[in-house]
Amino acid sequence: MGGTRTSGDRRSPGARGRIDKRQAILDAAFTVFAREGYAQAGVDVIAAEAGVAKATVYNHFRDKENLLREAVAASADQAMAENMAVVGRLSTEDGDLRARMEDVGLRLLRCYCDERSWALRRLLSGEINQFPDLLDIVHGHAVDRVTEALADRMARLTVAGALRARDPLVAAEQFVALLTGPAETRSRLGTREVPDAELRAVARAAVDTFLQAFGAETTDR
Amino acid sequence: MGGTRTSGDRRSPGARGRIDKRQAILDAAFTVFAREGYAQAGVDVIAAEAGVAKATVYNHFRDKENLLREAVAASADQAMAENMAVVGRLSTEDGDLRARMEDVGLRLLRCYCDERSWALRRLLSGEINQFPDLLDIVHGHAVDRVTEALADRMARLTVAGALRARDPLVAAEQFVALLTGPAETRSRLGTREVPDAELRAVARAAVDTFLQAFGAETTDR
DNA sequence: ATCAAACTAGACGCGTGGGTCTAGTTTGTC
DNA sequence: GACAAACTAGACCCACGCGTCTAGTTTGAT
């Protein structure tokens, strides 16, 4: 949570537990919370899934609420790292822009459609009324950062003459929307497994539309 | 649920309650479920919010699960009706297409950003693991129908020469995505009130991009 | 006026689950 | 080997909430 580090040294002052156990608990907590929802999830179940005694859970985390926050934060950090790695591939180097954008689009879609990614979004949506601060943890550190990184790349591409995005942030926002929107309906909120071929088609369609609007070359047809 | 009727005659065989009470319970149930989540929501609270005794709730609905399903179904029906009414405005008549699309886009955004609409989506996301059939109730009767109705309109517009949508379903899907995607980030999953001016800007940007890709007239700049 | 169905307020049984505690075991360190 | 911190299994307390039940009241139809 507190930066770009995946996890590890965030042991709160009082807790003195083994680190591997802590990680196992976080993983199990996320899994169970995502599967059953916060209220339905039992700490007993989380402990069992982590292969740990219930008391150990309370040794590492103050209470159930705190456990939820930390589990979500860890998962969001991981998801953001994957997304940022993909965006980094959209460099300003030469080569076929369309092909590179389709590649990036497809990889972003794979991140987006990952089971844990869906689970995170569903969990966030469901518990956001009870825990409004979850939104800051996830959005402030994940979604917005990715879109802005994408906007940076698009600004560079515009300066280089490969694109004409008057407002790079809007362009990035729309590119993401063209990917995630169709993916959302197609995967039925993450309950359906979307075959890779379909993801490729979505990415191609998104890039098509995007380049018609923001491409430098006047693509006829 | 069972058709296009808003509600009314769906009284299940055994239940014999007054209809207005039933509706009050459904409204209250949706409100409370959306606010606190299924597991946290208490039937006592729902009954109180509806101004009704708890026993009356169980007189109309078998149990808590059934109440959730019916409440979601009613809410989804209402939301779909509003959406369909908006889509119906995109007729094939003459006039400035861009202006008409911006109008429809804005109205769709207002539906999408409505508080009850957000509540429905959040509730659905959060409880979808526990109640997978909620997805069929909502998607089968709302989201897909709206997109398809929009696709129909776009096909008509293409035939009329006002648009060139090779695949109307993809075009409709992308138009919706260009609206809802930005709206989702802007409103932070429905927790932030988006001013109307911002919605207008989102609609304009969406129509800009959409027409660059699918417009018939070669809009230069 | 009469009767039955719907409704109300409130109590209650009962299962579930958060969080604590105890007693005993493992693990790392010096 | 000795010591302390971490861990385990399980019992335990207690609050909460679903669903039922009872006894009495309102409502609508004839």
Side-chain angles (χ1 to χ4, degrees), chain B residues 81-208:
Chain B
E82 291 168 8
N83 274 289
M84 293 296 277
V86 171
V87 173
R89 299 175 64 92
L90 194 63
S91 54
T92 328
E93 293 166 21
D94 44 33
D96 186 9
L97 178 61
R98 174 179 299 263
R100 259 162 43 220
M101 288 200 67
E102 280 184 16
D103 177 65
V104 168
L106 178 59
R107 287 172 195 271
L108 280 179
L109 278 179
R110 289 213 192 97
C111 287
Y112 189 82
C113 288
D114 177 62
E115 181 47 39
R116 292 186 59 93
S117 189
W118 272 115
L120 177 60
R121 278 191 295 275
R122 284 194 301 253
L123 185 56
L124 181 63
S125 292
E127 311 297 344
I128 200 158
N129 284 315
Q130 305 296 314
F131 309 99
D133 52 312
L134 286 186
L135 196 84
D136 304 323
I137 297 175
V138 175
H139 264 244
H141 288 243
V143 182
D144 296 346
R145 300 269 276 266
V146 170
T147 306
E148 266 169 43
L150 200 55
D152 285 348
R153 299 284 168 178
M154 288 182 176
R156 298 281 295 269
L157 286 166
T158 299
V159 171
L163 262 152
R164 47 182 173 85
R166 180 185 292 273
D167 187 337
L169 194 58
V170 170
E173 203 178 22
Q174 290 193 336
F175 184 57
V176 171
L178 285 172
L179 292 169
T180 57
E184 192 159 320
T185 32
R186 297 284 225 278
S187 80
R188 312 222 143 233
L189 279 175
T191 58
R192 207 195 73 152
E193 181 73 18
V194 183
D196 211 60
E198 205 171 334
L199 289 188
R200 231 181 296 266
V202 169
R204 194 191 333 263
V207 172
D208 272 355

Side-chain angles (χ1 to χ4, degrees), chain B residues 19-52:
Chain B
I19 297 183
D20 48 340
K21 300 265 176 186
R22 183 187 168 89
Q23 193 56 46
I25 295 171
L26 279 177
D27 286 344
F30 179 79
T31 304
V32 176
F33 280 142
R35 189 197 325 137
E36 321 200 8
Y38 174 77
Q40 292 283 15
V43 178
D44 312 11
V45 178
I46 293 174
E49 185 120 348
V52 146

